[in-house]
Amino acid sequence: MNQVRLEQVRENMKKAGLHQMIVTETEPVYYLTGIWVAPMERMMAVYLDDTGRTIFFGNKLFGVQPQEGMELQEHTDTDNPVAQLAQTVKAGELGIDETWPSRFLIGLMQLRPDVKPVMGSLPVEQSTMYKDEEERQRMREASLINDECMDMVIHAIREGVTEKELALKVENFFKARGCNSLGFSIVGMGKNGADPHHDADETVLKEGDSIVIDIGAPFNHYWCDMTRTVFYKSVSEKQREVYETVRRANEAAIAKIKPGVAFKEFDLAARKVIEDAGYGEYFTHRTGHSIGMKEHEKPPVASDCEVIARPGMVFSIEPGIYLPGQFGVRVEDLVLVTEDGCEVLNKYTKDLIVVE
Ligand SMILES: [Mn+2]
C-alpha cells in the first residue's frame, strides 16, 4: 500500500464531498496498492471510505497477497462478486470509476437501490496528475529508452524499407527492453504522414519522402511517447519550411511551460507559430495530452483547457502540420513541469535530419 497516495486520494474524496468510492481500473489500483492486475472480464474493486477502511475485492486467481491496512475479500468464478460488494457499500452516494463495466454496475444498482452511483474518477485523477519522485524517475527512464529506440529506427531507414518493417523493429526493440505491453508505432511515409494516426502498411520508402515516426510503450508501468519526422535522401524547400515551423511551434510551447501557467497557453503558443506561418488549418489536433500510467491522461493540452500547470505534471507537446495528399510533420516531446520551468524528457535531436 502506498499510504501517502492513499491519503491524498482520501483528501480529494473529502473535497469532492464523497464518503465512499471504488477504484476499479488496473492503473489506479496499482498506483494505490502496488498490485498490478488485469482483471479482464472478472471483477476487481478497491473500496475506500472516509473512516479509513480499504478493502480489495478480487478473484482468487489474481493471487493478491494480504497487505497491512487493506482488507481482502476474495471470490471465485462461481461466486457473485457484485453481491459481496453490495453487502459492504453504504447507502448514499458511491463514487465509481468512469470505466467500470455496466455488467457490474447494473447488478449493484439492482441489489442496492439505496446506493447512488456518482462519477468517482476525479479523486484519483487529481492525485495521479502530479507525479511523485518515483514516478518522475520512471518516466525519465522510459523516455530515454524511447530516445534510443528512435535512434535505432532512424538508423534502420534504407532503400526499399516499408512502414511495417520499421514499425516491427520498434516493437521488437520495446519487447527486448522489457516493455509491459506492446505500445504503438506510427510510421507514415510521404502522403501517409498527413494522416496523424496512420497505421503502418506496405508502403515502400522513396527518395524525397518525409517519415513521421511516433513511438511509445510502457516501461515499469509508465509510458513514453515521442515523435520525430525525418526525410529520405532529399528535402524540398516546402518540406524544410513546414518542418522548421513545426519545430518552432514545439519549442515555443515548451518555452512557456512553468508552474502557474494554464495548459491552454501551451497550445496557443504552438498554434500561433503555425498560424503565423499560414498553416493553421493544417494543425488539426490539440497540442498534447497528459501521460503517466496511461498513455492519454487528463488534462489535455488544448486551447480551451484552463487547468494550471503545477510541478510534477507530465504531458506531451506534439504540434503537427498535415498537408493532405502531400506529407505530414509532427515533432513531439514529453515534458515534466518543475519548480521553475520544465524538464524535457526526450533528449533526441530536433535538428532536421536527412537520411542518406
Ligand atoms: Mn502523444
Side-chain angles (χ1 to χ4, degrees), residues 184 197 214-215 224-227 286-291 295-296 316-318 330 332-334:
F184 64 90
H197 288 149
D214 183 351
I215 56 178
C224 51
D225 183 3
M226 75 183 295
T227 308
R286 63 189 180 193
T287 293
H289 54 87
S290 294
I291 185 167
E295 185 190 345
H296 288 184
S316 69
I317 292 294
E318 49 179 308
R330 179 164 63 256
E332 172 182 26
D333 296 306
L334 292 192

Side-chain angles (χ1 to χ4, degrees), residues 37-102:
V37 175
M40 309 292 282
E41 74 276 18
R42 298 184 169 91
M43 196 194 85
M44 171 170 73
V46 175
Y47 174 83
L48 307 175
D49 73 5
D50 56 4
T51 70
R53 230 181 149 192
T54 304
I55 312 172
F56 187 102
F57 291 87
N59 196 293
K60 271 202 168 70
L61 289 175
F62 298 162
V64 169
Q65 298 300 311
Q67 289 198 36
E68 180 145 359
M70 181 185 89
E71 298 166 51
L72 191 54
Q73 286 220 20
E74 289 185 309
H75 56 266
T76 66
D77 279 349
T78 53
D79 294 330
N80 178 354
V82 176
Q84 258 187 17
L85 182 64
Q87 285 174 8
T88 297
V89 296
K90 292 173 269 198
E93 289 190 341
L94 170 69
I96 296 183
D97 277 338
E98 62 185 15
T99 57
W100 204 42
S102 46

